[in-house]
Amino acid sequence: MKSLRRSTPGCRSLVYVDLKARLVLCSDSDLPVPPQEALDALCLRGARLLTGSLRAAADAALAEPVAEAVAVQGGRIEVYLCTPAAPDEALCGVLEASADPHVALDILRRGIDTILPEDAARSPADLQKGS
């Protein structure tokens, strides 16, 4: 996480979340330890943007599935990216206001697989078998 955050220009915090459970799985930040409430709020915004009625409306409007979102919140930019190998999980990044979200998303897309838990790439059937 730290390496991916540091390689993303203007990224202050990076949070890996479970969208379904609305749970922060891990995080990295160059800010003083962010309060759990701030991480939880970021997770909740990600869940709202990438699942449920907002996602359904975006999917319908764009006529294709939405897997990413960008939001401006409190003088900063937030980027959200669904994990391809684990659809109920996402990466949420907090960027400085001057950062380019397109550059950040491009870097995060290329690096997201480096932070996935080892078992995320295995199918549910493999996990049940214990392989």
Side-chain angles (χ1 to χ4, degrees), residues 56-66:
D59 288 353
L62 298 172
E64 62 183 70
V66 173

Side-chain angles (χ1 to χ4, degrees), residues 42 45-46 49-50 67-69 71 78-82 91-92 105:
L42 187 65
R45 283 192 298 277
L49 289 168
L50 298 174
E68 299 173 358
E78 295 176 354
V79 293
Y80 302 90
L81 174 66
C82 287
L91 196 55
C92 308
L105 281 170

Side-chain angles (χ1 to χ4, degrees), residues 44-106:
L44 182 57
R45 283 192 298 277
R48 287 180 175 157
L49 289 168
L50 298 174
T51 65
S53 60
L54 283 177
R55 166 117 185 227
D59 288 353
L62 298 172
E64 62 183 70
V66 173
E68 299 173 358
V70 176
V72 177
Q73 175 74 18
R76 63 182 186 261
I77 300 168
E78 295 176 354
V79 293
Y80 302 90
L81 174 66
C82 287
T83 307
D88 287 335
E89 296 175 2
L91 196 55
C92 308
V94 177
L95 310 176
E96 297 172 345
S98 61
D100 184 336
H102 300 288
V103 170
L105 281 170
D106 187 47

